[in-house]
Amino acid sequence: MTDAAETPGGEDYLTTLAGVVADVDSAARRIAAAQIEELRALAAAGRLAEAQTAQRNARVQVHDMALRSIAAEVGGVIRVTDRTVQRRIGEARTLVEGFPATVAAWEQGRIVRGHAIAIVETGTSLPAEMWAEFEQIAISRCEKDTPNRVRGELEILAHRMHPRSFAERHEEAAATRCVRLVPGRDGMSDLIATLPTVIAEGIHDRLTQQARAIIDTRDERVAARGPAEVAFGKASPHSEHDSDSSSEGNDPAAIVATDRRSTDQVRADVFADLLLAGTPALDDTRDTTAGPLGAIRARVQVLVPAATLTGEDDGPCDLTGRSPIDPATARTLAGGTGMWERLFHDPTTGVTVATDSYRVPSGMRRFLQARDQHCRFPGCRVAAIRCEVDHTHDHALGGRTELTNLAHLCQRHHSMKQFTAWRVRQLKGGVLEWTSPLGRTYREDAPTPAVAFTPAAPPSPPPAPAEPAPF
């Protein structure tokens, strides 16, 4: 048995520790109370949107517009995008209205937020009429352990309680398959595909087999070319071309000899090669303008500073609407594309600044893409190439097709401008001033220009003439 004198610092240490623990516990309770208060407020926002449209016997589309408008109003106050707020409103309604006993247990301190999330995520796989029965059992189990330990048990409980077969539920779940892009750090991102397990396993297995084949045959391929060919970078005309962006040069023999990629790296490279250059096995498109699926090429919008393009600077470039990318990739994209154009804005002879037609000319559209870079609704980062050019003052109501009346809006926010009480006007310099239904205003300044000019340094004075040396 250890007494207080044997602990670090004695009784003073225990007193201080007890105070720290009490402060943490008190803060955790206040945070939980605030989180629950926010949940109830968000759920109320969702009910308000539903009530607003129910009074008009409105269609689903109108209800969605009302919800978008409310989400944007809330998002403007808490500095969160309206998409995120709308998702959180849905989650809040599910928890507050569908699992009230869970919220009460959280509020009483019997469980924590992690438990509540685990209960909702596992319980919503059941029919709504079974949620009350499920959460009563789930709460009692959550009170005995941490969220990460109890989650597996809750998943098994939900499977056992479910009235439908696993095969039926899998067929329904397969309809939710999707691909998501999550921007990461240092010019990297995670591409996440939610697929049926057997398909996902098959994809991973094929990538693994191809990666191992590339790695296991390195020595054989080097030997087949011979040391002289490898030393001088000569490749047989019948040799295969191994793609490795990390190797110097493009000669196949040199690439094979210097290939030191790991299995994970090769697997990722093969995955990218197949998706970007491969032709889909299933191609049932009939669009004559886009062509078959195999002819569709990926599009990205990249902002490359001139100094980076010329190699004078190695700073990051901007993948508009996403995250920074490395300068080497940006230079490769700029040099290899057939659509590369330099943009000049000359008030007298350069970019078209206005037209009498509704259609936006290509030159004006390119200038607007360079100016806006992304959707101009507050907080939205959808790249301009995936947006629509909107007349700030409606063309049908007399708005002109000119640079001072045009801006990029994504489909979501273009619809909000048309069908909700959100209003916008364009100020000088491409600044948009948005007004919410509650009268709050948000200024959306034009992004930092892609081109900037600075005064040249004055020339250095000529050196003074040298005095003649004495004889």
Side-chain angles (χ1 to χ4, degrees):
M1 183 174 179
T2 303
D3 57 26
E6 297 177 356
T7 59
E11 293 183 1
D12 289 343
Y13 165 79
L14 292 179
T15 301
T16 303
L17 177 60
V20 170
V21 172
D23 289 344
V24 171
D25 180 57
S26 176
R29 291 178 183 274
R30 292 196 303 272
I31 291 172
Q35 289 173 333
I36 294 170
E37 182 181 1
E38 183 187 49
L39 273 176
R40 288 186 169 138
L42 290 172
R47 291 193 295 271
L48 176 62
E50 187 174 313
Q52 183 180 1
T53 53
Q55 293 173 358
R56 309 181 206 163
N57 193 22
R59 302 186 306 275
V60 174
Q61 181 184 7
V62 178
H63 166 69
D64 184 59
M65 289 300 165
L67 186 57
R68 288 185 190 183
S69 179
I70 291 174
E73 190 81 68
V74 174
V77 175
I78 63 176
R79 304 291 183 90
V80 176
T81 65
D82 56 291
R83 287 183 178 87
T84 300
V85 174
Q86 186 169 340
R87 174 180 55 80
R88 287 170 59 182
I89 286 175
E91 294 171 348
R93 292 198 68 180
T94 299
L95 181 53
V96 172
E97 300 169 15
F99 296 82
T102 299
V103 176
W106 180 12
E107 198 167 24
Q108 295 162 9
R110 294 158 53 198
I111 62 174
V112 297
R113 180 173 179 270
H115 288 127
I117 293 174
I119 290 173
V120 172
E121 289 182 349
T122 55
T124 47
S125 64
L126 294 167
E129 60 269 18
M130 300 184 67
W131 290 356
E133 179 185 358
F134 172 82
E135 70 172 335
Q136 292 299 333
I137 302 174
I139 290 170
S140 64
R141 297 187 180 180
C142 286
E143 290 174 327
K144 302 173 185 177
D145 218 328
T146 57
N148 63 314
R149 287 189 175 182
V150 79
R151 175 179 284 274
E153 191 176 350
L154 296 185
E155 289 177 351
I156 294 174
L157 173 64
H159 278 302
R160 289 177 177 172
M161 291 180 63
H162 209 292
R164 297 171 60 201
S165 69
F166 183 81
E168 291 177 311
R169 285 181 284 136
H170 169 71
E171 183 178 354
E172 186 176 289
T176 66
R177 60 191 180 276
C178 62
V179 177
R180 303 182 304 283
L181 181 63
V182 181
R185 299 178 59 183
D186 301 326
M188 303 295 287
S189 292
D190 293 323
L191 186 65
I192 304 172
T194 300
L195 299 166
T197 300
V198 65
I199 300 297
E201 288 283 352
I203 291 172
H204 191 270
D205 180 68
R206 187 182 184 210
L207 291 173
T208 300
Q209 289 187 56
Q210 292 178 328
R212 286 176 178 168
I214 291 173
I215 292 173
D216 292 345
T217 59
R218 282 172 181 164
D219 294 340
E220 297 177 18
R221 286 178 286 156
V222 171
R225 290 182 171 92
E229 291 183 357
V230 173
F232 293 100
K234 297 178 180 178
S236 167
H238 303 292
S239 62
E240 63 202 279
H241 180 80
D242 299 301
S243 165
D244 180 11
S245 59
S246 64
S247 300
E248 296 183 359
N250 294 319
D251 184 79
I255 290 174
V256 173
T258 58
D259 189 359
R260 296 294 180 267
R261 292 174 297 169
S262 66
T263 301
D264 278 338
Q265 290 172 327
V266 176
R267 191 159 40 206
D269 291 345
V270 171
F271 175 78
D273 287 343
L274 290 174
L275 283 181
L276 291 175
T279 302
L282 177 62
D283 183 357
D284 59 355
T285 57
R286 298 292 181 269
D287 189 343
T288 57
T289 58
L293 286 176
I296 295 176
R297 292 295 177 259
R299 293 192 310 158
V300 293
Q301 181 179 341
V302 183
L303 178 61
V304 188
T308 302
L309 192 62
T310 59
E312 297 177 17
D313 183 80
D314 270 338
C317 301
D318 184 22
L319 181 62
T320 308
R322 291 295 181 184
S323 59
I325 65 171
D326 65 285
T329 299
R331 293 188 196 108
T332 300
L333 291 172
T337 180
M339 299 175 63
W340 176 257
E341 295 181 77
R342 293 181 297 172
L343 301 180
F344 297 94
H345 179 50
D346 189 312
T348 305
T349 60
V351 176
T352 304
V353 295
T355 180
D356 292 331
S357 67
Y358 173 80
R359 188 183 66 84
V360 180
S362 59
M364 185 185 295
R365 185 181 296 271
R366 290 196 299 271
F367 177 83
L368 288 168
Q369 287 179 348
R371 185 198 73 179
D372 292 346
Q373 302 180 32
H374 50 70
C375 171
R376 298 295 306 285
F377 188 84
C380 187
R381 291 279 294 170
V382 174
I385 58 173
R386 295 182 177 84
C387 293
E388 303 163 352
V389 179
D390 170 65
H391 288 72
T392 306
H393 179 54
D394 196 340
H395 186 269
L397 300 178
R400 296 191 61 191
T401 304
E402 57 187 5
L403 295 178
T404 56
N405 190 48
L406 298 173
H408 281 88
L409 295 179
C410 68
Q411 191 279 329
R412 174 187 178 87
H413 295 123
H414 197 173
S415 298
M416 276 184 56
K417 174 177 174 287
Q418 291 177 302
F419 301 115
T420 74
W422 279 85
R423 295 293 176 260
V424 61
R425 66 186 184 121
Q426 188 162 165
L427 309 179
K428 291 183 179 180
V431 176
L432 299 188
E433 184 180 79
W434 289 86
T435 303
S436 77
L438 290 182
R440 297 178 183 271
T441 58
Y442 302 92
R443 282 174 61 95
E444 176 67 16
D445 294 339
T448 303
V451 179
F453 297 93
T454 57
S460 302
E467 296 182 1
F471 290 100

